[in-house]
């Protein structure tokens, strides 16, 4: 007998054989038992979850010699012909290759004839979303009022492409992805039928890679069984398919947790030299960190982890908190999206692993806020401290040992003394590598040393204050002397630069650019050739007059005059200069 692939050999033949589709199976059973059989069904869902198989089972249940029945015999001529896709009364049509209106016209002509040897003539149209708009429109009237012996069963993976007019004429059933546990059980049965020994860890890996599709899992199972001989193990899968493996991942992330960047990059090069794919390595790292996060959250279900919980490194589990692990997962997921546009995927991976080496330094904004709230009472006590200490003023710039001691006693908000016990948050993706400061052992000062150190700080601070006051007095006196020697226009210009420019910067800027300041008989006159400047200064003349009066300590009236431009004598320049001006677009000044 010719070899038959597992997906075909283990195709469901009864409603009870459907895996993970209990709702669909029970509903169709009740429909058949009650005799309320619809004229059109629409099966939707992802690939490989049993849509076409269910359509065939329904056809056998309706056309079985003993039926309609929910348990077709599978031995009568009708059941055997339907199983082999050779029945004249069950017509399977590929919607992708029969998608025009002429094919639908043929169906409309065929349904006029009753079934040949069965009770119903059933049309199974797979990938119905591939039909053209004209074909859908030609099918509307037919599926709404077909002959009583005609039943339509449509199957599609893209429900959004099916017109609403078709959906409204069909009973719709949504097929779901098959859970990993159920897929693993079916794979174990398939391995037993073939006489193959299979490790649970290997079967769990196949089930997770299938993504809930039974057909995909059977296909991958056949591929792995082909190179595994009589025993399927995870080690064989890892070596043959180029997987990283839990042991290598434990080793790699233990180095990251220890912040050993050099060893991490060396280990990465070793893995890549063995032929591991960068994309596969990124995917495995993401799965590993996800499993670590699940373990940190108390989830030990092996079907979710992909491995037994005992195989994950305790060092990695204790090195990072939940928030930091979430940032690591996000880092690798973003890396997988970025490598398709990267100049070098290897550089991107090396950078990501380098960042993982200082993942334990990440601090979240929420934790920073919590730390600030913790020391807020200390800061309040500091601001409310008395202003006198032993009869002398307290300089706020001089630290007190009493304050230092209080800080040491109250600066441990976490249970283990760490200021961020719940962990740090997500760091920016493009941040320089963090180099931790060397460990400094704290020295315990005696009371005599503290008093001596405090006295030295106070003496230095007092000397510094006296020097500052002396310098300030000299600068004030010098500035006063300079001001007395200024003319009135110079005083106004200096006052505009230091005072008026902060109150009205736009007006001050226009005023500074005027020319020929003159103060005659309490009249301050300035000149400018710019019409805009003249208008703006006239609009603000009252403000400027008041400002000038305050500066000169008498009543000053401000006015601005338009300055007529004199006809400049045209200068003649050498030909070389004119050529350079034309060549570079310059201006002669």
């Amino acid at each position: 007998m010719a070899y038959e692939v597992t997906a075909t050999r283990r195709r469901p033949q009864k409603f009870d054989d459907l895996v993970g589709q209990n709702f669909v199976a029970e509903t169709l059973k009740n429909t058949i038992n009650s005799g309320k059989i619809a004229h059109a069904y629409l099966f939707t869902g992802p690939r490989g979850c049993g849509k076409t198989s269910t359509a065939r089972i329904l056809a056998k249940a309706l056309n079985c010699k003993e039926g309609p029945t929910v348990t077709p015999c599978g031995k009568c001529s009708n059941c055997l012909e339907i199983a082999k896709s050779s029945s004249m009364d069950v017509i399977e049509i590929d919607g992708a290759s029969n998608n025009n209106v002429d094919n639908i016209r043929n169906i409309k002509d065929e349904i006029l004839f009753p079934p040949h040897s069965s009770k119903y003539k059933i049309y199974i149209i797979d990938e119905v979303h591939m039909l053209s708009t004209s074909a859908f429109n030609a099918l509307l009237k037919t599926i709404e009022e077909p002959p009583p012996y005609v039943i339509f069963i449509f199957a599609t993976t893209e429900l959004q492409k099916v017109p609403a007019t078709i959906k409204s004429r069909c009973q719709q059933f949504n097929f779901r992805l098959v859970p990993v546990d159920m897929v693993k059980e079916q794979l174990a049965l398939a391995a037993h039928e073939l006489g193959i020994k299979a490790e649970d860890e290997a079967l769990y890996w196949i089930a997770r890679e299938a993504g809930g599709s039974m057909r995909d899992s059977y296909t991958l199972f056949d591929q792995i069984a082909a190179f595994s001989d009589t025993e399927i193990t995870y080690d064989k899968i890892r070596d043959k398919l180029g997987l990283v493996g839990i042991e290598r991942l434990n080793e790699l992330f233990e180095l990251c947790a220890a912040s050993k960047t050099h060893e991490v990059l060396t280990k990465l090069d070793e893995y890549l030299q063995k032929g591991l794919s960068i994309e596969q390595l990124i995917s495995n790292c993401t799965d590993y960190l996800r499993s670590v996060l699940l373990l940190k959250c108390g989830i030990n279900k092996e079907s979710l982890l992909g491995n037994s919980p005992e195989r994950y490194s305790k060092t990695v589990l204790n090195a990072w908190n939940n928030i930091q692990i979430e940032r690591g997962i996000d880092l690798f997921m973003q890396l997988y999206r970025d490598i398709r546009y990267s100049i070098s995927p290897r550089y991107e991976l090396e950078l990501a692993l380098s960042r993982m080496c200082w993942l334990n330094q990440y601090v979240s904004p929420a934790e920073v806020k919590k730390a600030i709230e913790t020391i807020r009472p200390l800061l309040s006590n500091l601001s409310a401290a008395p202003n006198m200490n032993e009869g002398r003023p307290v300089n706020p710039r001089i630290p007190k040992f009493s304050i230092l001691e209080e800080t040491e006693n109250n600066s441990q908000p976490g249970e283990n003394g760490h200021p961020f016990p719940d962990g740090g948050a997500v760091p920016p993706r493009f941040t320089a590598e963090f180099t931790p400061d060397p460990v400094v052992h704290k020295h315990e000062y005696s009371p005599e040393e503290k008093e001596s150190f405090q006295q030295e700080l106070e003496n230095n601070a007092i000397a510094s204050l006296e020097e500052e006051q002396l310098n300030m007095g000299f600068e004030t006196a010098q500035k006063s002397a300079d001001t007395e020697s200024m003319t009135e226009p110079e005083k106004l210009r200096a006052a505009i630069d230091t005072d008026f420019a902060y109150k009205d910067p736009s007006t001050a800027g226009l005023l500074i650019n005027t020319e020929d300041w003159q103060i005659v008989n309490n009249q301050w006159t300035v000149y400018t050739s710019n019409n805009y400047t003249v208008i703006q200064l006239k609009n603000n003349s009252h403000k400027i007059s008041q400002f000038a009066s305050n500066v000169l300590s008498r009543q000053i009236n401000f006015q601005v005059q338009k300055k007529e431009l004199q006809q400049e004598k045209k200068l003649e320049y050498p030909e070389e200069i004119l050529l350079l001006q034309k060549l570079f677009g310059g201006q002669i000044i």
Side-chain angles (χ1 to χ4, degrees):
M1 184 177 180
Y3 172 75
E4 193 174 19
V5 296
T6 304
T8 303
R9 178 171 52 84
R10 292 187 55 79
R11 182 185 289 273
Q13 302 298 326
K14 297 182 295 184
F15 286 115
D16 294 336
D17 295 339
L18 291 174
V19 180
Q21 313 300 336
N22 295 333
F23 170 75
V24 176
E26 293 299 325
T27 304
L28 292 177
K29 285 182 181 179
N30 294 335
T31 296
I32 296 172
N33 288 330
S34 62
K36 299 177 181 179
I37 301 172
H39 59 273
Y41 295 91
L42 177 60
F43 295 162
T44 68
R47 68 184 187 278
C49 58
K51 299 184 294 298
T52 305
S53 298
T54 304
R56 292 180 180 179
I57 295 172
L58 178 60
K60 287 196 293 185
L62 296 176
N63 284 344
C64 181
K65 294 291 186 180
E66 301 177 0
T69 176
V70 297
T71 56
C73 65
K75 299 178 181 179
C76 64
S77 58
N78 289 346
C79 290
L80 293 176
E81 289 174 357
I82 293 172
K84 296 178 181 178
S85 300
S86 60
S87 175
M88 296 181 62
D89 298 325
V90 179
I91 301 97
E92 295 190 27
I93 301 174
D94 179 17
S97 56
N98 300 274
N99 58 1
N100 56 41
V101 69
D102 292 333
N103 302 118
I104 301 302
R105 289 197 184 101
N106 294 335
I107 295 176
K108 295 176 66 176
D109 295 338
E110 291 175 1
I111 65 174
L112 298 177
F113 302 95
H116 181 264
S117 60
S118 305
K119 186 174 182 179
Y120 294 98
K121 178 176 282 190
I122 301 175
Y123 286 89
I124 300 175
I125 303 180
D126 203 3
E127 301 301 329
V128 70
H129 65 272
M130 297 296 292
L131 295 181
S132 63
T133 304
S134 300
F136 274 125
N137 293 333
L139 195 60
L140 290 177
K141 190 64 176 177
T142 303
I143 66 173
E144 185 174 14
E145 296 178 356
Y149 50 79
V150 175
I151 295 176
F152 289 96
I153 303 177
F154 303 133
T156 177
T157 56
E158 300 185 34
L159 179 62
Q160 71 278 4
K161 294 185 179 180
V162 179
T165 51
I166 296 292
K167 298 177 187 177
S168 63
R169 290 167 168 80
C170 305
Q171 285 190 10
Q172 182 175 331
F173 291 87
N174 296 321
F175 287 69
R176 303 174 182 178
L177 292 172
V178 184
V180 175
D181 291 336
M182 293 185 177
V183 175
K184 185 259 180 185
E185 292 176 2
Q186 297 302 315
L187 293 175
L189 293 175
H192 179 72
E193 292 175 359
L194 296 175
I196 299 176
K197 296 181 180 179
E199 292 182 352
D200 285 346
E201 185 177 0
L203 296 181
Y204 270 127
W205 182 86
I206 297 173
R208 288 196 304 117
E209 287 297 311
S213 171
M214 284 303 308
R215 183 169 61 236
D216 290 0
S217 65
Y218 286 141
T219 302
L220 185 57
F221 172 80
D222 287 340
Q223 179 182 354
I224 293 173
F227 63 72
S228 297
D229 295 331
T230 59
E231 185 177 3
I232 297 177
T233 63
Y234 183 77
D235 293 336
K236 290 182 179 179
I237 295 176
R238 182 193 63 192
D239 297 336
K240 298 294 183 181
L241 299 183
L243 305 180
V244 183
I246 185 68
E247 293 81 9
R248 292 175 177 173
L249 290 173
N250 280 334
E251 184 181 13
L252 183 66
F253 283 101
E254 283 178 358
L255 294 175
C256 291
S259 300
K260 297 181 179 179
T261 308
H262 175 75
E263 288 81 353
V264 168
L265 298 180
T266 303
K267 187 64 66 176
L268 173 63
D269 179 70
E270 177 184 335
Y271 292 162
L272 296 180
Q273 292 296 331
K274 293 180 179 179
L276 295 179
S277 169
I278 292 180
E279 291 80 3
Q280 186 66 45
L281 182 57
I282 296 173
S283 177
N284 293 153
C285 289
T286 307
D287 291 340
Y288 179 86
L289 290 176
R290 169 188 174 271
S291 300
V292 171
L293 179 61
L294 293 177
L295 288 172
K296 295 280 287 187
C297 295
I299 300 175
N300 298 321
K301 193 175 181 181
E302 187 173 349
S303 60
L304 289 178
L305 301 176
N307 295 280
S308 60
E310 293 76 15
R311 299 194 63 181
Y312 290 89
S313 171
K314 300 298 182 182
T315 302
V316 177
L317 288 171
N318 297 328
W320 299 314
N321 55 53
N322 293 8
I323 298 178
Q324 292 168 342
I325 297 174
E326 289 173 5
R327 174 49 65 189
I329 296 174
D330 180 69
L331 183 66
F332 279 101
M333 293 181 68
Q334 183 62 38
L335 172 62
Y336 193 85
R337 291 189 289 265
D338 291 343
I339 57 175
R340 69 184 67 181
Y341 305 112
S342 174
I343 187 175
S344 174
R346 173 168 181 163
Y347 297 167
E348 297 279 357
L349 180 57
E350 290 174 345
L351 180 60
L353 290 176
S354 176
R355 290 172 179 166
M356 290 295 297
C357 291
W358 46 280
L359 185 65
N360 54 4
Q361 302 295 333
Y362 292 168
V363 179
S364 67
E367 293 298 334
V368 173
K369 179 178 180 296
K370 183 185 295 185
I372 293 176
E373 292 296 335
T374 304
I375 65 173
R376 187 183 296 276
L378 175 61
L379 298 177
S380 300
N381 295 336
L382 178 61
S383 61
N387 293 328
M388 299 298 293
N389 183 21
E390 298 181 358
R392 291 178 297 178
V394 176
N395 190 345
R397 287 181 286 181
I398 302 177
K400 296 293 183 180
F401 275 101
S402 60
I403 297 176
L404 293 176
E405 293 171 356
E406 185 176 359
T407 304
E408 294 173 359
N409 295 332
N410 298 331
S411 61
Q412 298 179 356
E415 298 178 358
N416 300 324
H418 196 280
F420 308 110
D422 295 335
V426 186
R429 293 194 177 97
F430 302 99
T431 307
E433 180 176 351
F434 176 80
T435 303
D437 295 332
V439 178
V440 178
H441 297 283
K442 184 172 63 176
H443 174 70
E444 296 293 338
Y445 292 96
S446 64
E448 293 77 9
E449 290 176 325
K450 292 182 180 180
E451 183 178 359
S452 175
F453 180 65
Q454 185 70 37
Q455 184 64 39
E456 182 180 356
L457 288 177
E458 292 182 358
N459 294 337
N460 293 339
I462 293 173
S464 177
L465 286 176
E466 292 176 352
E467 183 178 358
E468 290 179 5
Q469 293 175 357
L470 182 62
N471 293 335
M472 290 176 60
F474 176 77
E475 292 176 357
T476 303
Q478 183 68 27
K479 184 176 180 181
S480 177
D482 294 341
T483 304
E484 293 178 357
S485 63
M486 289 183 180
T487 62
E488 289 185 339
E490 290 175 345
K491 291 180 180 180
L492 289 174
R493 187 176 296 274
I496 290 173
D497 290 336
T498 58
D499 187 12
F500 194 65
Y502 293 98
K503 298 178 181 178
D504 192 346
S506 59
T507 304
L510 295 175
L511 191 58
I512 288 295
N513 291 327
T514 57
E515 304 173 354
D516 299 336
W517 290 13
Q518 300 177 7
I519 302 177
V520 179
N521 297 330
N522 297 334
Q523 182 72 32
W524 178 23
T525 307
V526 298
Y527 296 88
T528 181
S529 59
N530 190 298
N531 292 329
Y532 174 78
T533 303
V534 172
I535 295 173
Q536 292 299 319
L537 292 181
K538 284 185 178 180
N539 293 338
N540 294 279
S541 59
H542 177 71
K543 184 190 302 184
I544 299 174
S545 298
Q546 184 177 1
F547 170 74
S549 300
N550 294 335
V551 173
L552 301 180
S553 301
R554 68 175 190 273
Q555 184 63 35
I556 299 295
N557 296 321
F558 172 79
Q559 68 174 359
V560 57
Q561 297 290 338
K562 177 70 181 299
K563 181 179 180 182
E564 298 296 336
L565 293 177
Q566 298 180 358
Q567 188 73 18
E568 294 184 0
K569 183 179 179 180
K570 187 176 181 180
L571 299 178
E572 295 183 358
Y573 298 100
E575 184 177 355
E576 294 82 358
I577 299 297
L578 297 176
L579 180 60
L580 289 173
Q581 179 188 10
K582 181 179 180 181
L583 179 62
F584 293 103
Q587 180 182 2
I588 301 175
I589 58 175

